Amino acid sequence: MNVIIDIDKEKKEYELINSWNDVSLKELGRLLQYRQLSPTQEAINTINMFSDIPKDVIKKLRLEDITGMLSILANMEEDKDTTFKATFKLHGIKYGMIPSLEDITLGEYADIETFIKNGLESNLPNIMSVLFRPIVEEHKDYYIIEGYDAKSQQRRAKLFMDMSGMQVQNAMVFFYNFVNELFKTLPSYLIQKMKKERERLSQ
């Protein structure tokens, strides 16, 4: 999206992102971090990240121009597609979310919980790399994902910096809804999980 702004009595054209689809996980993490800054610094960093306008130029813009661009970005976020997609392709590899969150292991959940406690903004790639893993087998009605291990998770986290920010947001909403429901019956859930684990070990 092109924006024309008047700087030092000279009109110049710059480029803003066209859609929230263009926002990567890396940029989403930065955006969350910017929200901890002062309103002025948040505005400068946000516009700089989502446009080709240098920071020194942004500082020369009128407040009206700043407000206008931030409104455009806010409208893009509000209009984004919130449909959750369980699978996506990145760098030629197809990934799928844990097919049934009811089957999430205690270890997987514990890692996600730790990442959230250590700072959601800086750990989004880690959280996504636990929830999403390469699809190793796919059928019409279901798919099977790669098993979970810490080393693969760390490698995936680096690759997932290029993951769609919109996909991340929708996945987090889906996950949090699951967790909220889970907490309502957490004691019985954990008891059932421990029973299943004991049965598995006794076989």
Side-chain angles (χ1 to χ4, degrees), residues 14-15 17 23-24 26-27 30-31 33 44 48 54 57 77 91 112 121 132-133 135 139 144 146 151 161 185 190 194:
Y14 292 95
E15 187 80 17
I17 61 169
V23 179
S24 69
K26 183 178 182 180
E27 291 169 328
R30 286 180 181 171
L31 182 63
Q33 291 176 332
I44 292 171
N48 176 251
V57 173
E77 185 176 6
H91 303 315
I112 292 173
E121 297 86 355
F132 289 90
R133 303 203 283 278
I135 294 175
H139 301 274
I144 299 172
E146 188 179 275
K151 288 185 179 179
M161 296 296 281
T185 57
L190 290 178
M194 285 187 284

Side-chain angles (χ1 to χ4, degrees), residues 5-200:
I5 48 184
D6 195 339
I7 304 169
D8 297 331
K9 297 183 180 180
E10 182 181 350
K11 290 190 177 183
K12 292 187 178 181
E13 187 173 316
Y14 292 95
E15 187 80 17
L16 271 179
I17 61 169
N18 292 307
S19 164
W20 206 251
N21 292 330
D22 299 331
V23 179
S24 69
L25 185 157
K26 183 178 182 180
E27 291 169 328
L28 178 61
R30 286 180 181 171
L31 182 63
L32 293 174
Q33 291 176 332
Y34 293 159
R35 288 175 180 171
Q36 299 174 18
L37 303 175
S38 68
T40 301
Q41 286 302 313
E42 179 186 359
I44 292 171
N45 283 284
T46 299
I47 292 173
N48 176 251
M49 183 170 66
F50 291 141
S51 75
D52 59 355
I53 309 175
K55 287 185 179 181
D56 60 328
V57 173
I58 295 172
K59 292 176 182 178
K60 295 180 181 179
L61 298 179
R62 297 176 302 161
L63 284 177
E64 184 179 358
D65 294 325
I66 296 291
T67 303
M69 281 185 278
L70 290 176
S71 295
I72 292 172
L73 293 172
N75 289 334
M76 282 184 190
E77 185 176 6
E78 288 179 6
D79 293 339
K80 67 181 183 293
D81 181 5
T82 57
T83 305
F84 171 67
K85 298 176 180 63
T87 66
F88 68 93
K89 266 193 173 183
L90 183 65
H91 303 315
I93 298 174
K94 192 168 185 178
Y95 295 90
M97 192 175 194
I98 298 172
S100 174
L101 285 178
E102 292 180 357
D103 294 327
I104 192 170
T105 67
L106 193 59
E108 290 167 335
Y109 184 80
D111 284 351
I112 292 173
E113 189 176 45
T114 299
F115 290 137
I116 292 173
K117 284 182 179 178
N118 289 340
L120 178 65
E121 297 86 355
S122 56
N123 279 292
L124 282 174
N126 285 312
I127 296 168
M128 290 300 108
S129 63
V130 176
L131 291 174
F132 289 90
R133 303 203 283 278
I135 294 175
V136 296
E137 190 176 331
E138 189 170 16
H139 301 274
K140 183 178 180 181
D141 299 320
Y142 70 94
Y143 58 83
I144 299 172
I145 60 174
E146 188 179 275
Y148 180 65
D149 70 85
K151 288 185 179 179
S152 296
Q153 177 270 313
Q154 291 169 6
R155 289 196 296 269
R156 267 196 313 280
K158 294 177 181 178
L159 296 174
F160 278 11
M161 296 296 281
D162 296 329
M163 183 180 174
S164 163
M166 185 175 65
Q167 175 80 22
V168 174
Q169 287 180 303
N170 294 345
M172 288 303 292
V173 170
F174 187 84
F175 178 70
Y176 275 131
N177 287 340
F178 163 76
V179 170
N180 287 335
E181 289 300 314
L182 174 63
F183 280 166
K184 294 176 183 177
T185 57
L186 187 57
S188 61
Y189 171 83
L190 290 178
I191 289 170
Q192 291 301 317
K193 279 292 180 183
M194 285 187 284
K195 283 182 179 178
K196 287 183 180 179
E197 185 64 15
R198 281 200 299 268
E199 290 172 1
R200 185 184 71 81

